[in-house]
């Protein structure tokens, strides 16, 4: 069965600290997609990144970076030099298959990140 | 702005009532998804439509139904509402014609409170 586990329920850091949010997934498919979404206090779900199962290259986007390791079924998210505006709930999600038939996202329980000034 | 539009943003209604949530997908997106976010269940997939046809079903109650219209907008109908239906309901869209992959963009959600 598909499953996404975000073991960290809440993380609190001080501004400018680096923080890593962990995500471990389970799937039997060889083709799948992994996502990270941010949910700020206002409630909307903001897309951050999509990674397919064939691309294990790490990705960096500004202060954000993602480490995808198939060997450990992990897709961790690091925020460098955190800022107060990074405070939000972050969700990792898994989608199996390809093409227009997919889209059923399995979400983790989310990690609440609090960045203190 | 994700390009996915949901209305209404907030809704308060009484138990036993029926409500309709509306969603306009991003321009060109053929798939529409509905998700429910509640404190006890987290984010759960309800149903997916692709170009007007139901494509996948998740944990959607029989009291709930959805449809996607020819102009690709979608509606989620919630009937015989119970207190436990209070949640944030998200619409999402993906699968622009001619594109590959399935990045899924979410709307801002509709907050439903059942009293």
């Amino acid at each position: 069965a598909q499953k996404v586990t975000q073991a960290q329920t809440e993380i609190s850091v001080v501004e400018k600290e680096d923080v890593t949010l962990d995500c471990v997934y389970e799937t039997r498919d060889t083709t799948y997609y992994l996502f990270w979404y941010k949910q700020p206090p206002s409630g909307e779900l903001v897309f951050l990144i999509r990674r397919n199962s064939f691309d294990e290259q790490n990705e960096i986007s500004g202060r954000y970076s993602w480490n995808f390791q198939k060997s450990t079924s992990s897709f961790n998210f690091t925020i460098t030099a955190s800022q107060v505006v990074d405070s939000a709930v972050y969700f990792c999600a898994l989608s199996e298959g390809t093409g227009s038939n997919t889209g059923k996202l399995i979400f983790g329980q989310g990690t609440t990140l609090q960045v203190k000034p | 702005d994700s390009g996915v539009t949901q209305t209404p943003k907030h809704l308060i209604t009484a138990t036993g009532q029926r409500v309709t949530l509306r969603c306009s997908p991003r321009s060109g997106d053929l798939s529409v998804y509905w998700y429910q976010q509640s404190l006890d269940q987290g984010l759960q997939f309800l149903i997916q439509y692709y170009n007007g046809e139901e494509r996948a079903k998740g944990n959607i109650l029989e009291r709930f139904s959805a449809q996607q219209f020819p102009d690709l907008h979608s509606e989620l109908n919630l009937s015989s509402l119970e207190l436990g239906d209070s949640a944030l309901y998200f619409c999402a869209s993906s699968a622009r014609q001619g594109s590959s992959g399935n990045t899924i963009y979410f709307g801002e959600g509709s907050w439903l409170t059942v009293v």
Side-chain angles (χ1 to χ4, degrees):
Chain A
Q2 316 110 12
K3 186 178 179 182
V4 176
T5 301
Q6 295 178 254
Q8 304 149 309
T9 304
E10 292 184 18
I11 301 176
S12 181
V13 299
V14 176
E15 208 170 18
K16 296 184 183 176
E17 284 186 20
D18 298 348
V19 58
T20 295
L21 309 182
D22 297 334
C23 173
V24 174
Y25 62 92
E26 296 176 28
T27 178
R28 292 181 181 176
D29 273 17
T30 56
T31 301
Y32 52 90
Y33 289 87
L34 295 165
F35 299 78
W36 276 95
Y37 288 89
K38 174 183 179 180
Q39 187 173 39
S42 50
E44 72 269 27
L45 276 172
V46 179
F47 166 78
L48 295 178
I49 190 171
R50 172 179 65 101
R51 176 52 52 88
N52 74 55
S53 52
F54 297 107
D55 183 4
E56 285 194 72
Q57 281 194 348
N58 292 330
E59 183 157 338
I60 298 175
S61 176
R63 297 184 296 107
Y64 295 170
S65 62
W66 290 269
N67 182 275
F68 176 30
Q69 292 194 348
K70 284 180 81 170
S71 60
T72 56
S73 296
S74 65
F75 187 42
N76 296 336
F77 173 31
T78 297
I79 302 175
T80 303
S82 60
Q83 299 176 1
V84 173
V85 292
D86 296 326
S87 297
V89 182
Y90 291 86
F91 290 95
C92 180
L94 165 71
S95 169
E96 294 180 331
T98 58
S100 59
N101 289 338
T102 61
K104 177 184 175 181
L105 293 177
I106 307 298
F107 282 89
Q109 287 302 106
T111 297
T112 299
L113 173 65
Q114 183 182 34
V115 181
K116 299 177 181 176
Chain B
D1 183 0
S2 67
V4 179
T5 304
Q6 288 187 247
T7 57
K9 287 190 169 37
H10 298 272
L11 190 57
I12 300 175
T13 190
T15 54
Q17 294 298 305
R18 172 190 170 96
V19 298
T20 297
L21 309 181
R22 182 189 167 98
C23 169
S24 293
R26 294 191 318 151
S27 178
D29 281 2
L30 302 177
S31 273
V32 168
Y33 315 85
W34 288 98
Y35 285 81
Q36 179 195 58
Q37 185 178 26
S38 60
L39 283 175
D40 52 346
Q41 297 291 329
L43 269 160
Q44 290 209 316
F45 168 76
L46 295 179
I47 197 164
Q48 176 197 359
Y49 280 82
Y50 178 77
N51 204 18
E53 293 185 4
E54 182 182 304
R55 195 53 71 93
K57 221 168 185 177
N59 299 322
I60 187 167
L61 299 172
E62 284 191 11
R63 300 183 285 108
F64 296 0
S65 64
Q67 54 184 329
Q68 185 180 28
F69 296 88
D71 66 353
L72 301 178
H73 91 271
S74 177
E75 292 181 355
L76 178 66
N77 300 297
L78 315 175
S79 61
S80 303
L81 285 167
E82 302 174 359
L83 295 178
D85 297 328
S86 296
L88 179 55
Y89 291 85
F90 283 107
C91 174
S93 74
S94 74
R96 283 180 169 157
Q97 241 175 348
S99 72
S100 61
N102 59 344
T103 296
I104 300 165
Y105 293 93
F106 284 78
E108 294 186 350
S110 292
W111 291 89
L112 172 65
T113 302
V114 182
V115 298

